[in-house]
Amino acid sequence: MSDDIVKTLLESLTDEQKAQLVQGLLKSNENEEVPVLKEETVSSTPRSNITEDFKVVSNDKLEKRKTPVKARKNQWVDEGEDRDPNFDPQKFERMGKAARNRGKTKKKNVECHVCGRSFSVNPAYVYGENFRCNRCTGR
């Protein structure tokens, strides 16, 4: 804020408001904690060297750009440590599969407003009055 704005603000306050402002500022300064800055550690071995002719030579062998991928045998073994102790497979066998009661969709007959050909379409795809067929969508 500029000095003029601060001066006009302070002049508009009453003596009681000024005292409350001073007390609030003092309390906020007491409650503030000083942030502790963490120092970054620098590794003693540099990752790359710069030669006399300004070429960068990398020391780290893990940062190769192209490395071949070789397939290995999967060594993971399921030891069952995360299984639910209350799991009962017979309960799920008794429940059986869910019934598939949904019938086929009833298609709606629509006439193309460009070529006049009539054809059937899923009603979920029909919207508006002007519907185009597959041939006329590119026109």
Side-chain angles (χ1 to χ4, degrees), residues 30-83:
E30 291 174 1
N31 294 339
E32 284 185 11
E33 295 180 9
V34 178
V36 178
L37 298 177
K38 295 181 180 178
E39 294 182 12
E40 295 182 16
T41 59
V42 179
S43 62
S44 60
T45 58
R47 288 184 136 182
S48 62
N49 276 333
I50 301 176
T51 60
E52 292 177 7
D53 55 346
F54 299 106
K55 289 184 181 177
V56 178
V57 180
S58 178
N59 292 339
D60 195 5
K61 293 184 180 182
L62 295 176
E63 293 184 16
K64 289 184 180 178
R65 298 214 183 242
K66 293 183 179 180
T67 55
V69 178
K70 296 180 182 176
R72 291 186 231 148
K73 183 181 177 186
N74 187 0
Q75 298 176 354
W76 183 78
V77 178
D78 185 10
E79 296 174 355
E81 64 270 3
D82 291 335
R83 292 193 181 175

Side-chain angles (χ1 to χ4, degrees), residues 85-103:
N86 300 327
F87 178 74
D88 184 19
Q90 281 98 21
K91 176 183 174 185
F92 289 98
E93 289 175 10
R94 286 190 303 260
M95 287 171 52
K97 292 184 178 182
R100 308 291 194 253
N101 295 331
R102 186 188 309 172

